[in-house]
Amino acid sequence: SEVALVDDAKRRPTATSISKAISEGLGPLLQFRLKDDSAQHSGDAGALEMGLTSESHFRLDIASPKFRGLSPVKRQQLVFDVLKDVMPRIHAISLVTRTPEEI
């Protein structure tokens, strides 16, 4: 298990906000990985329409006991609720959500 939170608000404000929101809303985390795929989508028309020029595409792998008893859809809804204040700065997000027993 690996918990790799991002804490660099100056250079990576969106990734830092995601890390903080997930840690506070879904902790204690047993696993957390955040991958910023924004560079692979440079010039993405949808992101540009949103005014996003960096930090717009993310992949998250999260393991939390708060996912126990929830369907995959309910888990994703929980993550989106936790990220509601950050979502306006995100164009695309891919989620892998697991319980501690699933890691």
Side-chain angles (χ1 to χ4, degrees):
S1 298
E2 171 190 358
V3 176
L5 299 172
V6 176
D7 187 11
D8 186 353
K10 187 173 183 177
R11 293 185 324 153
R12 301 189 63 204
T14 303
T16 298
S17 294
I18 290 169
S19 291
K20 183 177 178 185
I22 294 293
S23 178
E24 291 174 359
L26 298 176
L29 298 174
L30 284 100
Q31 183 170 298
F32 179 75
R33 288 189 211 115
L34 179 151
K35 181 156 183 353
D36 183 348
D37 287 333
S38 303
Q40 295 172 314
H41 300 276
S42 180
D44 180 292
L48 293 173
E49 284 178 14
M50 294 173 64
L52 303 172
T53 56
S54 66
E55 285 198 301
S56 58
H57 294 69
F58 295 94
R59 280 192 274 166
L60 303 180
D61 187 339
I62 309 163
S64 168
K66 293 195 176 173
F67 294 140
R68 284 187 179 123
L70 299 179
S71 70
V73 170
K74 292 290 184 190
R75 292 176 187 188
Q76 290 196 359
Q77 289 172 337
L78 178 58
V79 172
F80 289 137
D81 185 54
V82 165
L83 294 176
K84 66 181 173 260
D85 293 335
V86 186
M87 287 306 294
R89 299 190 314 239
I90 299 171
H91 177 66
I93 190 165
S94 171
L95 302 174
V96 174
T97 57
R98 300 176 230 228
T99 65
E101 296 78 19
E102 295 171 330
I103 19 181

